[in-house]
């Protein structure tokens, strides 16, 4: 979950954590580790919401056709398409033909990318 800095979600989360600071059994501690708060923090910024690491024990078996979409910044879509095309042509890796989604796109832009992929 992303509770962007200074939003109502972030303020509510900080309030819950503050209230539970002396109560290690409070249910908020089951959720808090999974909440990032991207934003500007003085001279530094934290905007890595698409790089969340999820750990899994064991093998992950999937094929290139299993990918529903890839998260790629919009200004890199063309280069990424070229990269995957060349990897397939040179038998070096897969070619992901699924939609590329920019993490900062609006819902309408994401829907348009999926609609375009259907045609």
């Amino acid at each position: 979950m992303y509770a962007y800095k200074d939003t109502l979600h972030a303020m509510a989360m900080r309030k819950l954590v503050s209230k539970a600071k002396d109560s290690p059994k409070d249910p908020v501690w089951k959720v808090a580790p999974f909440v990032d708060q991207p934003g500007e923090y003085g001279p530094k910024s934290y905007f890595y919401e698409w790089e969340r690491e999820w750990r899994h024990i064991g093998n992950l078996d999937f094929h290139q056709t299993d990918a529903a979409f890839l998260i790629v910044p919009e200004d890199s879509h063309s280069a990424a398409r070229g990269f995957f095309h060349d990897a397939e042509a040179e038998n070096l890796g897969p070619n992901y033909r699924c939609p590329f989604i920019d993490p900062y796109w609006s819902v309408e832009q994401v829907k348009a990318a999926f609609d375009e992929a259907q045609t």
Side-chain angles (χ1 to χ4, degrees):
M1 180 178 136
Y2 303 110
Y4 289 87
K5 184 176 181 275
D6 300 327
T7 63
L8 292 175
H9 293 101
M11 290 185 275
M13 190 67 188
R14 282 194 300 272
K15 188 175 180 179
L16 288 170
V17 166
S18 178
K19 184 175 147 188
K21 67 182 176 187
D22 295 322
S23 178
K25 295 190 187 239
D26 191 290
V28 75
W29 299 121
K30 292 181 180 179
V31 177
F34 303 103
V35 179
D36 279 336
Q37 294 195 16
E40 299 287 335
Y41 294 90
K44 301 198 182 225
S45 65
Y46 171 73
F47 289 105
Y48 297 100
E49 50 271 50
W50 61 90
E51 295 183 14
R52 170 63 100 170
E53 180 179 319
W54 296 93
R55 296 189 181 223
H56 171 78
I57 298 172
N59 295 329
L60 290 174
D61 293 323
F62 66 94
H63 303 282
Q64 65 198 44
T65 55
D66 293 335
F69 62 92
L70 296 182
I71 298 174
V72 178
E74 184 174 14
D75 61 352
S76 298
H77 284 189
S78 180
R81 289 261 179 236
F83 173 83
F84 289 124
H85 176 270
D86 292 349
E88 179 185 46
E90 296 172 21
N91 201 29
L92 297 172
N95 185 1
Y96 295 98
R97 293 186 174 93
C98 58
F100 288 0
I101 306 299
D102 186 292
Y104 293 104
W105 277 357
S106 67
V107 171
E108 292 77 21
Q109 288 172 297
V110 172
K111 286 181 181 179
F114 279 102
D115 290 344
E116 184 179 315
Q118 298 296 321
T119 58

